[in-house]
Amino acid sequence: MEATLEKITSFLSEIGIPLLKKELTDDTFLPGLALSNKGIEIDYNKLLYPGDILHEAGHLAVTTAEDREKIGTPNMPQEWPTQGDEIGAMLWSYAAAIHLEIPLDVVFHSNGYKGSSEWLIQSYKENNFIGLPLLEWFGLTYGPEKAIENNTKPFPHMKQWMRD
């Protein structure tokens, strides 16, 4: 677990997602994790699943830079993250897991994703990338056709990791 955690935290630092060590209350959505306009707050004593860090990073990555500044403030729309944001964050975290060579069940663990983790893993393994047009629209990656047009690799290769 330590090696995986180190891979994840190093990667996020490299792409500009701040990680803040912080003691958190018990009422966070994911154990030991919270998002703020400063980055991902992590309570390492309460963190149960290192892969959840990648999922939370996905939320930051698919959110515009302007809206990232509003996270955790009254200025952030209450409906954030939207269902589209959620789908985008899941697909982004899949790409990150592939990039980092982390087993998919670390990110899509059986105690998350409302019982759909196995289905998600299977879908992604079958190249059924739900939400790919969204990540393309965000400017983060290319699907197969656009990758050919742009003479580059398709998803899960990422053009960039953070939305502008």
Side-chain angles (χ1 to χ4, degrees):
M1 181 161 114
E2 280 299 316
T4 299
L5 191 56
E6 177 59 33
K7 264 187 185 182
I8 291 169
T9 57
S10 293
F11 168 70
L12 296 179
S13 179
E14 287 171 22
I15 65 168
I17 295 181
L19 303 173
L20 310 155
K21 189 176 181 179
K22 185 175 181 180
E23 190 173 323
L24 298 170
T25 62
D26 290 331
D27 60 352
T28 59
F29 183 73
L30 294 173
L33 294 171
L35 292 177
S36 75
N37 59 356
K38 307 249 186 288
I40 302 173
E41 299 172 349
I42 306 173
D43 186 333
Y44 288 97
N45 293 321
K46 294 179 181 166
L47 180 68
L48 297 181
Y49 306 102
D52 286 347
I53 299 171
L54 278 182
H55 179 79
E56 292 301 277
H59 280 295
L60 296 178
V62 303
T63 300
T64 63
E66 180 183 341
D67 281 345
R68 282 194 298 271
E69 294 295 319
K70 299 175 188 172
I71 295 172
T73 73
N75 297 326
M76 190 62 163
Q78 272 192 307
E79 63 273 4
W80 185 86
T82 65
Q83 192 61 35
D85 295 327
E86 190 65 42
I87 290 167
M90 287 189 291
L91 198 55
W92 184 95
S93 60
Y94 166 79
I98 295 298
H99 176 75
L100 295 172
E101 300 178 347
I102 292 172
L104 295 180
D105 61 357
V106 169
V107 178
F108 302 98
H109 55 83
S110 60
N111 290 318
Y113 302 94
K114 300 178 183 173
S116 296
S117 58
E118 286 298 317
W119 177 81
L120 286 166
I121 290 170
Q122 193 59 40
S123 293
Y124 295 154
K125 283 183 176 179
E126 294 171 358
N127 295 331
N128 183 12
F129 300 127
I130 302 155
L132 182 54
L134 191 60
L135 291 187
E136 280 187 289
W137 185 69
F138 291 164
L140 299 178
T141 190
Y142 290 121
E145 298 85 19
K146 290 199 176 171
I148 291 169
E149 289 173 21
N150 289 282
N151 196 31
T152 190
K153 296 177 186 174
F155 183 83
H157 174 78
M158 300 292 279
K159 288 183 1 182
Q160 63 188 54
W161 288 100
M162 298 291 289
R163 188 174 174 191
D164 295 327

